[in-house]
Amino acid sequence: MPADPSQVDSLREALAHSPDNVPLRQLLAETLLQLARHDEAEQEFRAALARAPRQKRLQVGLAQAFFAAGKFDECAVLVESLLKSVDPPPRAHVLDARLKARRGDAGARAAYERAVAADPALRDPSFESELPAAAAPRKAPPRRVPLTGEDPGPGASTDDEDDDEDEGDGGDAPGEGRRAAATEHDAEERAWQVERPDTTFADVGGMDELKDEIRMKILLPLEQPELFAAYGKKSGGGILLFGPPGCGKTHLARATAGEAKCGFLAVGIHEVLEMWVGQSEKKLHSLFEQARRRAPCILFFDEVDALGASRADLRQSALRTTINQFLAELDGMQGKNEGVLVLAATNAPWQIDPAFRRPGRFDRVLFVPPPDDAARAAVVRVLLRGKPAGDVDAELVAKKTKGWSCADLRGIVDTAVESKLRDALKGGARKPITTDDLLAATKRRQPTTGEWLQTARNYAVYANEGGQYDDVLRYLGLE
């Protein structure tokens, strides 16, 4: 049954009251995907994966959104991870087949047939007719064995040579190991996509103090290396951003890369963690190595608490090893980190191992609070750019949305836009967005920051021995 566009508003409204409801968010994401609203679907799948990172159906949905949006490299990385897992979902094989078909790979048919064998409901006659024929197996050319006493000549092989080839690496041809290693290296290079964001601080409403901290820690060492070198200060190091969901941590990180005009590697936790022992550490090292080769480069880890959890709370040694590897990479023990700038974001700083806050690692821990009145007004103006808007009183909207996050404000603007679109589709005139439209939208939504602030308050009041939550106390007026 085709998706009903009217369901989207209902689902969003339900999520506003229950933002951590993963099945509900998954339904919204799948509905958006059916409606070909690929970017919105990707956003909702990512939000769901942040809450349930190991759900394969969500990972497949995100891969489908990538493919539909033409993000084939991102899709390939996720599909490869799914196919390596135990009992891969049949839809992952379908996506593998479609990716192979785009490249004209004859293996597309075999991947498609595996999917259909596992789930016949996935059969697609239209796609099946476009698949290339399966490749015929290659036959090895006959080998001529020289007669006794005959010179084998250049290029011929003897039994002794064959015996040598069979030893050691299981019979692989000479150089096969090197070719496999090169192929694996190339695959890793393709997996980590280095962006060049065009977003800058001008696109970030408010957060002036945070921007100043980032300028001193990241931007100025890149712009004036001689001055900083004179004081023995090198570019590099890390900043940990924490705060309620939806307050612009990811947006700020991307804008930092745009401001610095350097590469940007955004890393999702599902792209690093693997079920096989040693693979997560290998991926982390590969990631840092690419950042070192592309320096200056910003590495951004979202939801870093999943990768830097407190080792005291862990019973599984595998994840402890991954955390140790992460710490070693931050220290630059396996490579120089000059020019590698690490930004990370978390909604749960209390779950991060204290070792990450040691100087030289994440030596700046910055609180990203819900925007204040001036920042909310600035965010509203930024969100209205490129949209038909009248003379909107952003300051009035800001006064009516105290405690709302940047994502909450985006929801208000989206609701107002959808309302205007609905009126236009009913035959009305195309009217601009007004202050009243935005105020009416606030009555249909609730801020999503309250639960986080209550949890943070408990930690700030009762577990603040190192003073890491002083900014939270100041924001709450408890200091």
Side-chain angles (χ1 to χ4, degrees):
M1 180 181 295
D4 183 1
S6 64
Q7 290 180 336
V8 173
D9 285 347
S10 301
L11 290 170
R12 289 195 189 279
E13 189 170 352
L15 275 172
H17 296 284
S18 181
D20 292 325
N21 189 325
V22 173
L24 191 61
R25 195 172 291 278
Q26 176 181 313
L27 179 59
L28 172 60
E30 291 173 348
T31 302
L32 290 166
L33 188 58
Q34 290 183 50
L35 294 170
R37 293 162 66 171
H38 307 134
D39 291 339
E40 293 176 72
E42 176 187 338
Q43 182 179 354
E44 295 300 335
F45 276 123
R46 285 185 180 276
L49 278 167
R51 294 164 172 81
R54 299 190 182 279
Q55 278 201 21
K56 290 183 181 178
R57 182 170 173 179
L58 292 174
Q59 294 177 19
V60 170
L62 179 58
Q64 289 175 315
F66 282 151
F67 188 93
K71 299 179 179 180
F72 302 116
D73 288 341
E74 291 90 336
C75 179
V77 173
L78 194 48
V79 167
E80 182 181 359
S81 175
L82 284 163
L83 293 180
K84 288 180 180 178
S85 66
V86 176
D87 194 18
R91 290 186 184 276
H93 288 296
V94 172
L95 285 169
D96 185 37
R98 292 187 178 277
L99 289 166
K100 285 183 166 68
R102 285 190 69 256
R103 302 192 299 265
D105 189 335
R109 180 170 291 277
Y112 171 76
E113 289 173 353
R114 280 193 293 271
V116 172
D119 185 357
L122 295 176
R123 184 175 294 279
D124 184 345
S126 175
F127 174 58
E128 191 171 344
S129 65
E130 299 172 2
L131 287 172
R138 282 196 317 177
K139 293 183 179 179
R143 184 176 63 186
R144 176 179 177 272
V145 179
L147 300 175
T148 304
E150 181 182 354
D151 181 7
S157 62
T158 66
D159 290 341
D160 290 340
E161 289 170 342
D162 291 342
D163 290 341
D164 291 340
E165 287 180 11
D166 289 341
E167 293 178 1
D169 59 358
D172 288 342
E176 189 68 29
R178 290 191 297 273
R179 286 195 296 271
T183 301
E184 184 177 0
H185 176 75
D186 292 342
E188 289 170 349
E189 285 285 329
R190 290 192 298 270
W192 310 114
Q193 295 295 318
V194 179
E195 305 176 37
R196 292 281 177 176
D198 53 9
T199 304
T200 66
F201 283 171
D203 301 305
V204 179
M207 301 190 187
D208 292 334
E209 291 184 7
L210 290 172
K211 291 174 186 176
D212 288 341
E213 287 277 0
I214 291 173
R215 283 191 183 96
M216 178 58 69
K217 176 67 178 176
I218 291 180
L219 300 180
L220 291 176
L222 292 176
E223 294 171 0
Q224 303 181 43
E226 296 84 2
L227 175 60
F228 279 75
Y231 284 88
K233 182 70 173 174
K234 298 180 180 179
S235 63
I239 292 178
L240 176 63
L241 305 172
F242 78 94
C247 286
K249 297 183 289 294
T250 301
H251 188 51
L252 180 61
R254 194 175 297 275
T256 300
E259 196 79 16
K261 297 180 175 60
C262 68
F264 182 72
L265 266 169
V267 186
I269 299 306
H270 67 279
E271 296 175 307
V272 175
L273 293 181
E274 286 280 357
M275 65 178 294
W276 306 112
V277 175
Q279 288 302 307
S280 297
E281 295 81 47
K282 182 179 177 182
K283 281 191 171 184
L284 265 176
H285 180 64
S286 171
L287 176 65
F288 272 86
E289 280 296 292
Q290 183 168 354
R292 289 167 187 138
R293 288 191 295 271
R294 302 291 185 89
C297 182
I298 290 178
L299 270 174
F300 175 64
F301 292 88
D302 201 3
E303 305 294 345
V304 74
D305 48 283
L307 193 58
S310 175
R311 289 168 292 181
D313 299 333
L314 294 175
R315 296 180 181 178
Q316 297 181 0
S317 60
L319 189 52
R320 290 174 65 93
T321 305
T322 303
I323 294 169
N324 290 337
Q325 178 71 31
F326 195 3
L327 291 169
E329 297 293 346
L330 287 172
D331 289 340
M333 293 177 65
Q334 301 185 34
K336 294 181 179 179
N337 281 349
E338 186 172 356
V340 177
L341 316 161
V342 184
L343 285 173
T346 180
N347 301 328
W350 38 84
Q351 294 179 1
I352 293 180
D353 195 292
F356 281 93
R357 294 194 291 270
R358 197 203 73 182
R361 293 169 181 170
F362 292 120
D363 48 3
R364 292 285 193 281
V365 181
L366 304 180
F367 176 45
V368 183
D372 58 18
D373 286 357
R376 287 196 303 278
V379 169
V380 169
R381 294 189 191 95
V382 169
L383 292 172
L384 289 174
R385 287 179 188 170
K387 296 179 176 64
D391 187 14
V392 172
D393 187 347
E395 283 72 20
L396 178 59
V397 175
K399 289 179 182 178
K400 298 292 185 180
T401 53
K402 184 176 180 59
W404 291 54
S405 69
C406 300
D408 294 333
L409 295 173
R410 181 181 293 276
I412 291 173
V413 173
D414 287 345
T415 300
V417 168
E418 289 171 4
S419 177
K420 288 299 183 183
L421 284 171
R422 193 176 292 110
D423 292 342
L425 290 171
K426 290 179 181 179
R430 298 181 183 179
K431 296 181 180 179
I433 300 167
T434 65
T435 304
D436 289 341
D437 293 326
L438 295 174
L439 295 177
T442 62
K443 298 177 181 178
R444 298 176 57 184
R445 292 179 170 272
Q446 295 293 325
T448 59
T449 58
E451 183 179 350
W452 187 93
L453 289 170
Q454 181 59 43
T455 302
R457 178 187 183 279
N458 294 335
Y459 279 94
V461 172
Y462 302 112
N464 192 31
E465 293 85 356
Q468 62 264 37
Y469 304 124
D470 287 348
D471 288 342
V472 176
L473 290 173
R474 279 192 287 272
Y475 176 80
L476 295 173
L478 299 176
E479 192 178 56

